[in-house]
Amino acid sequence: MLRIIVLFLAAVFTPSLSLGQAAGDWQSPEHIWNASCSYCHNSQVAPDIRGIPFETEFATTVVRNGFPGMPPFHTSEINNEELLALLDWIKQAEKPDPDEQAP
Amino acid sequence: MERRDFFTVMAGAAASISTMQAEAAAACLPGNVTRAQFRRFITDSANLLGSDHVVSDVDSLRPYARSMLPFEEAAHSPAAVLSVSSVDEVRSVLALARRSGVPLWPTSTGRNMGYGSMTVADPGTVVLDMRRMNRISDMDPVLGTVVVEPGVTYKQLQDFLKAEGHDFWLDFPGPGPIVSPLGNTLERGEGQTPYFDHFAHSVGYEVMLADGTLLRTGFGGIENTTSWQAFKYGYGPTLDGIFTQSNFGIVTRMGIELMPAPEAHRTGMAVWANEEDIAKAIDTIRPLRIDGTIGNSGTVGNSTIIASGVGRANLYTGEGAIPQDVTIKWAQDIGLGAWIYMFSVYGRQEKVDSDWAHIVSRFEASGAKVLADIDDPAAYNQLTLKSFELFKWKRSRGLIWFSPVAPARGEDVARQMTLAKEVMSRYGMDFMTGMTVTGRSTLNVMPIVYNKEDEDETRRARECMNALIDAFGEAGYGIYRTGVGFMDRVASHHGAVNLDVNQRLKRALDPDGILAPGKSGIRTC
């Protein structure tokens, strides 16, 4: 019962939370992918890179410095720890279904 | 781009990046600031914000110096980046800046791509990165307003509205998911719905002045205000506008009017076959925009910008600018033409049906054909980065937006097109344009796409932009927005009195010149 009351109070009095897109706010690597990367890399703007065993150091350089058609992503947006987790997640993700489309 | 091609290009880009890193010089300091003063400023900032939120070593600064504009990075590189998370931290940083004389360049998410991204007008200015200030507050579902901080993105705001069950739409600029509504509004950006004019749909700003004073515009100054986001103008002078495209204060919060989701909407594309049809097209669109029949500003595009996703090399391998005939033929072959206009209608179903029929009859009478039910995600609240397909044109990282305004008269727009094409051709730049038809004006947003790895092409792109600014200024046309490196030149065409008044305001509100020196050509002296 106490737990229900606590949850109710939390729902009533906690300000509306939205998932931020700054360093430290990301919920998971998948959250970064869905909120940012997928708009190009899963929508035919840029190649889908999921499931590709790229070099982490190389990919880090590209993410931090940008690439033709891709802006740089700074440490205030995705910190180094989050970026490493993201790159691991991308490499380990299943290769995309050719018919799959992004939002 | 195929996956294999992508990685080949990536390898080349990485090599280029390594070369640039090796060649990069140490970051320069702001003018009139000694090394000792700057070192103390950095130490004090780190003590205030935490060392994780202060970037001052050359290697870590390089990503912040990256932009798509045609300048050497050192020319617009910051000397440091401070990442703040609250208004109190902004005030404390301002106190440090005033004491040391170190100027600050506030940014929201730094996605002002083609206008300078996060780079600064005067080298050595310190970037005040407000991405971590990303709170959403004061949602009013009855009036349809919400308040955001600089670091909130459109994606974050859309997620918030969905999670809370609010049936409102947002209006996105090109880099929608990853860009800040507050930042884009302060640059007076535009989108693709009836709320396309972002400044017009902002209401109530919280602004920190250089001396740490916190101003709330409109009715925000009233104790226990009930109407801050309900009424834009307030009492006395309406000040919101002086904090856009300016350096008079740091906007830390901003209200946004939200568009109620319409019952129905429909998007179409009008196509005019020939290059000389542009005047006829504008004269047909204008009355439909002014009387509100067409609900959004829409986009008029020429055949070359339509072809950008195809890739230039697949259409033309000759010298100089691509001839318009080449892309017009390509467009005609796929059922399009020299000019297209993407437009949308919104409202109750019967209104949409009625407006649609009227629009089609007007366009067809002008000689256009109308393609129905075109998918334009940004016109109906769908986030997309399809605008990045522009970069497929040259697979390049170079982009300058040249953004003149014309009265929405066919003869004026045609004159601008002729002028732009002539200047661009002189410098070997391809003529592309995507116009927003606001009603009585058109914002002729022309991308200069170039290969930044090519030194000669970069020089020509820079000279082309300067020549365009001068040619349009001399012809009596203003530029609605520009990037660092071009701001002084654009300002010089808007009159000495305008510049003087801006400078007087600057001296009054920021006498030490701490905030964004050079923004829109405005400095204390």
Side-chain angles (χ1 to χ4, degrees):
Chain A
M1 186 62 186
L2 178 63
R3 186 166 176 273
I4 292 172
I5 292 171
V6 168
L7 287 174
F8 172 76
L9 290 174
V12 170
F13 294 110
T14 303
S16 297
L17 295 176
S18 62
L19 301 178
Q21 293 178 235
D25 289 341
W26 299 103
Q27 304 298 300
S28 64
E30 195 170 5
H31 180 206
I32 304 176
W33 173 267
N34 288 333
S36 193
C37 319
S38 70
Y39 283 98
C40 286
H41 291 289
N42 188 21
S43 65
Q44 299 176 348
V45 175
D48 199 319
I49 51 178
R50 286 175 294 176
I52 293 178
F54 49 75
E55 292 289 332
T56 297
E57 187 180 344
F58 168 73
T60 300
T61 303
V62 169
V63 170
R64 290 295 183 220
N65 291 278
F67 180 78
M70 173 177 157
F73 289 80
H74 304 125
T75 49
S76 63
E77 181 172 9
I78 304 171
N79 65 33
N80 291 332
E81 188 182 343
E82 290 165 332
L83 179 56
L84 285 175
L86 171 66
L87 296 175
D88 281 346
W89 182 88
I90 293 171
K91 284 193 279 190
Q92 290 164 18
E94 280 188 34
K95 288 194 175 179
D97 179 337
D99 297 327
E100 189 189 352
Q101 281 280 322
Chain B
M1 196 187 303
E2 296 299 322
R3 283 157 69 102
R4 187 182 302 167
D5 293 343
F6 176 73
F7 283 99
T8 305
V9 176
M10 279 178 83
S16 169
I17 288 166
S18 299
T19 305
M20 284 189 285
Q21 286 176 343
E23 291 172 351
C28 73
L29 299 183
N32 303 324
V33 176
T34 66
R35 192 157 293 279
Q37 285 171 321
F38 186 73
R39 201 176 296 127
R40 183 176 170 201
F41 172 79
I42 292 298
T43 302
D44 290 346
S45 297
N47 289 337
L48 174 71
L49 305 173
S51 56
D52 286 353
H53 302 304
V54 176
V55 176
S56 60
D57 67 283
V58 174
D59 284 344
S60 304
L61 278 174
R62 279 198 191 95
Y64 293 90
R66 300 262 184 261
S67 90
M68 297 172 176
L69 296 181
F71 304 106
E72 289 183 11
E73 286 180 357
H76 298 286
S77 179
V81 177
L82 310 182
S83 177
V84 290
S85 64
S86 68
V87 168
D88 286 341
E89 286 188 352
V90 174
R91 183 184 280 114
S92 299
V93 168
L94 276 169
L96 296 178
R98 286 196 307 276
R99 194 176 69 194
S100 60
V102 172
L104 303 171
W105 186 270
T107 69
S108 48
T109 53
R111 299 291 189 217
N112 208 9
M113 289 177 278
Y115 288 115
S117 299
M118 247 188 197
T119 59
V120 299
D122 294 349
T125 302
V126 168
V127 165
L128 187 70
D129 179 347
M130 296 192 283
R131 179 181 286 281
R132 292 197 299 136
M133 292 176 65
N134 60 0
R135 297 167 193 87
I136 300 170
S137 64
D138 301 274
M139 176 69 204
D140 186 332
V142 175
L143 298 181
T145 58
V146 69
V147 173
V148 295
E149 291 187 335
V152 172
T153 63
Y154 281 101
K155 169 66 175 167
Q156 183 187 348
L157 185 54
Q158 187 185 61
D159 286 349
F160 166 82
L161 294 172
K162 284 181 180 172
E164 299 275 317
H166 302 303
D167 200 13
F168 291 107
W169 281 14
L170 296 174
D171 187 274
F172 315 115
I178 58 173
V179 77
S180 156
L182 185 149
N184 186 265
T185 300
L186 295 185
E187 288 297 300
R188 299 200 290 267
E190 307 255 338
Q192 289 297 329
T193 74
Y195 281 34
F196 65 92
D197 183 341
H198 296 169
F199 174 63
H201 292 285
S202 63
V203 55
Y205 293 4
E206 180 184 87
V207 188
M208 183 156 289
L209 304 180
D211 65 0
T213 301
L214 195 64
L215 165 71
R216 287 183 169 187
T217 66
F219 280 159
I222 298 172
E223 194 174 354
N224 300 320
T225 182
T226 59
S227 318
W228 192 23
Q229 270 65 55
F231 186 69
K232 187 182 179 92
Y233 305 119
Y235 173 76
T238 299
L239 296 176
D240 296 17
I242 69 166
F243 297 108
T244 65
Q245 292 191 7
S246 86
N247 50 12
F248 301 151
I250 301 173
V251 179
T252 51
R253 290 207 293 162
M254 181 191 81
I256 300 175
E257 296 173 349
L258 302 166
M259 175 181 161
E263 177 187 298
H265 61 94
R266 194 172 189 188
T267 297
M269 181 191 288
V271 178
W272 288 268
N274 304 308
E275 195 171 12
E276 59 272 22
D277 291 339
I278 184 61
K280 191 165 51 181
I282 295 298
D283 288 333
T284 307
I285 296 166
R286 181 192 56 252
L288 296 169
R289 285 288 302 125
I290 290 177
D291 73 11
T293 310
I294 295 176
N296 66 347
S297 57
T299 305
V300 176
N302 75 333
S303 54
T304 307
I305 205 167
I306 304 165
S308 57
V310 174
R312 187 180 198 271
N314 293 320
L315 297 174
Y316 183 68
T317 54
E319 292 291 312
I322 188 169
Q324 291 300 294
D325 291 350
V326 172
T327 55
I328 291 172
K329 181 176 184 314
W330 167 85
Q332 289 171 342
D333 287 347
I334 62 167
L336 302 177
W339 300 97
I340 61 145
Y341 177 50
M342 297 266 281
F343 64 93
S344 298
V345 289
Y346 303 85
R348 290 183 297 281
Q349 189 64 57
E350 57 268 32
K351 175 182 181 297
V352 167
D353 292 343
S354 168
D355 287 348
W356 179 268
H358 178 64
I359 292 164
V360 170
S361 70
R362 295 290 290 270
F363 282 154
E364 288 181 345
S366 78
K369 68 176 175 183
V370 178
L371 308 176
D373 302 320
I374 298 295
D375 186 36
D376 182 7
Y380 61 98
N381 198 39
Q382 300 300 304
L383 283 162
T384 174
L385 285 175
K386 291 282 186 189
S387 61
F388 282 14
E389 295 210 315
L390 179 64
F391 297 105
K392 290 181 177 177
W393 183 242
K394 286 190 172 179
R395 294 185 179 180
S396 61
R397 65 169 74 233
L399 171 68
I400 315 167
W401 290 111
F402 175 60
S403 309
V405 176
R409 295 188 196 95
E411 62 186 286
D412 273 293
V413 174
R415 183 180 174 212
Q416 283 204 349
M417 298 300 102
T418 302
L419 189 56
K421 200 166 53 174
E422 187 275 318
V423 174
M424 288 179 168
S425 177
R426 203 189 313 154
Y427 292 92
M429 298 291 131
D430 299 329
F431 169 61
M432 294 184 179
T433 185
M435 292 174 225
T436 297
V437 186
T438 66
R440 293 172 177 84
S441 64
T442 65
L443 274 55
N444 299 338
V445 182
M446 304 182 195
I448 302 173
V449 180
Y450 68 98
N451 181 2
K452 197 167 178 177
E453 276 71 44
D454 183 322
E455 197 175 319
D456 177 64
E457 193 169 326
T458 300
R459 176 190 57 76
R460 284 188 286 114
R462 183 172 60 247
E463 291 177 359
C464 177
M465 179 65 172
N466 285 332
L468 284 165
I469 293 167
D470 290 346
F472 276 64
E474 286 157 17
Y477 296 117
I479 314 295
Y480 108 95
R481 178 180 177 188
T482 199
V484 298
F486 298 112
M487 290 173 174
D488 292 326
R489 196 178 201 100
V490 170
S492 74
H493 285 286
H494 288 75
V497 173
N498 289 49
L499 200 55
D500 177 57
V501 171
N502 283 337
Q503 198 172 74
R504 289 195 223 178
L505 288 169
K506 179 68 173 169
R507 286 176 185 151
L509 295 175
D510 178 19
D512 299 323
I514 292 299
L515 298 178
K519 174 68 178 176
S520 298
I522 306 167
R523 295 180 176 79
T524 50
C525 57

